[in-house]
Structure formats: structure tokens, C-alpha cells
Amino acid sequence: MLKYWAENQNWAKLTPWMGFITIVMLFWTFSPADTIFWALINIPLYLFHQTEEHYWPGGFKDYFNRVVNGLPEGDEALTDEKVFWINIILVWLAFLIFGLLCIVNIGFGLLIVIFSLMNCSTHIYTGIKYREWNPGLVMASLQFIASIYGAYVITAKGISHPMIWWIGSVLFSVLVHAILFKFVMGKK
């Protein structure tokens, strides 16, 4: 069953629907005037980002292997299985956990925002470096703007000890991205 969901990024066929459902739930439950809204908006935005990366128009795995890594056709540093586990565990599961923890302390929402900012930055940087669109760039650009504003709102209105939350969020996000990079660049 897991092989089916990983193969050809079949899991990504769920992302536009999950994005739509979560954005409706977000607007139904919160208002843009609520601080928590700006932490949680990254969840549906990230699902739409994953849609662009892996479903429609898709092609992130191939773009990463061919353009970013310069691998010949048939060689893969980033496989369907790696794409599956990265997106299900590091995004869906982590965002669910941190989204729920926002109810306890909005500072956990800053983790979602900073993680999103780092991911968006990689897409924007790659787009500038190669002077071309990359799968995920359009949504990353929109999400980057929403994340900047979200970080401002959470910092200004939501958390006590913002410097501690910022340092912790940045360190956590850097660590996760470093582990992710090591995982992706490792052998099959």
C-alpha cells in the first residue's frame, strides 16, 4: 500500500483536496484578525505548494535530480519513496503536531512559519540561480509573503519571549533542513 502511494507521487493527488478542506476549516474557525490564523495559514498554503511541486504541474523530483543535482537520466538522488517520506512525515505530520500545539502556545506556530520561509527561500533562490521556474516556485513566492506577515503578527501580538522562540524556531528549521538534505543526498 505504501509503495502505491509513493510511486509517481500518488499521495500528491490528495494535496489540492486537503488544501481546500483545510483552508475552508481555517476560515470557518478563525479570522485573519486572529494571531493563530497567521500560523495555520501555512498548512493549506503548503498543501497547495505540494500540489504544484508533485501533482500539477508537478515534476519536482525530476527537476531536483536533473537540474539541481545534474544527474543523468535514470540516476536519482531523490526517489519517489524519499519524496513520500519527506512530505508525509516532515510536512503533514509535523505541521499537524505543531498546528495542534499552537492551541497551547502560539510560539509553535512560529516553527511552522520559519520552516515554511526556509523552504520557500530555497525555491526562490533556485528560480533566481537557474533563471527559470521550478516546481513549487509560484506557491513558494505567495507563501513567502504570507509567512513574512505571519512571522510579524505572531512576534508582535502572540508570543512572550520572542527572541527565544525565534532562535529556537530557526535552529529547529535549520536542523530539519540539514537532516533532510543529508537524507535526500544519500544513496537510494
Side-chain angles (χ1 to χ4, degrees):
M1 178 90 158
L2 288 178
K3 184 176 181 171
Y4 167 79
W5 286 107
E7 187 176 61
N8 300 316
Q9 286 95 57
N10 282 322
W11 62 271
K13 295 173 184 171
L14 299 173
T15 59
W17 301 106
M18 291 172 56
F20 178 74
I21 290 166
T22 56
I23 204 155
V24 167
M25 289 173 54
L26 180 64
F27 276 97
W28 189 4
T29 309
F30 302 105
S31 151
D34 298 324
T35 305
I36 196 168
F37 176 92
W38 291 101
L40 298 179
I41 191 69
N42 271 290
I43 295 172
L45 291 177
Y46 215 102
L47 289 163
F48 293 132
H49 170 75
Q50 289 176 322
T51 300
E52 182 187 359
E53 279 183 316
H54 305 288
Y55 180 52
W56 186 82
F60 179 80
K61 179 188 82 163
D62 291 333
Y63 184 87
F64 185 86
N65 286 323
R66 305 297 157 256
V67 177
V68 176
N69 279 343
L71 296 173
E73 193 71 34
D75 285 352
E76 294 183 332
L78 185 60
T79 64
D80 286 338
E81 292 80 19
K82 287 180 180 179
V83 169
F84 175 80
W85 289 112
I86 289 165
N87 285 282
I88 301 304
I89 293 180
L90 287 181
V91 179
W92 291 10
L93 183 60
F95 278 24
L96 174 65
I97 291 168
F98 291 126
L100 291 170
L101 287 172
C102 284
I103 297 166
V104 177
N105 188 318
I106 193 65
F108 289 103
L110 191 60
L111 284 167
I112 296 171
V113 171
I114 300 300
F115 184 89
S116 296
L117 279 169
M118 285 189 177
N119 182 65
C120 294
S121 296
T122 62
H123 282 277
I124 294 167
Y125 171 78
T126 303
I128 292 168
K129 179 179 179 182
Y130 296 108
R131 296 180 186 180
E132 63 185 14
W133 171 84
N134 61 71
L137 179 61
V138 173
M139 278 308 302
S141 301
L142 297 172
Q143 190 177 5
F144 186 83
I145 295 165
S147 295
I148 291 288
Y149 185 72
Y152 163 74
V153 170
I154 292 168
T155 302
K157 299 180 182 179
I159 55 177
S160 57
H161 311 293
M163 188 59 70
I164 293 170
W165 277 103
W166 267 91
I167 291 169
S169 296
V170 168
L171 290 175
F172 173 80
S173 296
V174 167
L175 177 64
V176 169
H177 279 87
I179 291 168
L180 175 63
F181 185 75
K182 178 78 170 157
F183 175 69
V184 167
M185 299 310 288
K187 298 290 181 198
K188 286 186 189 180

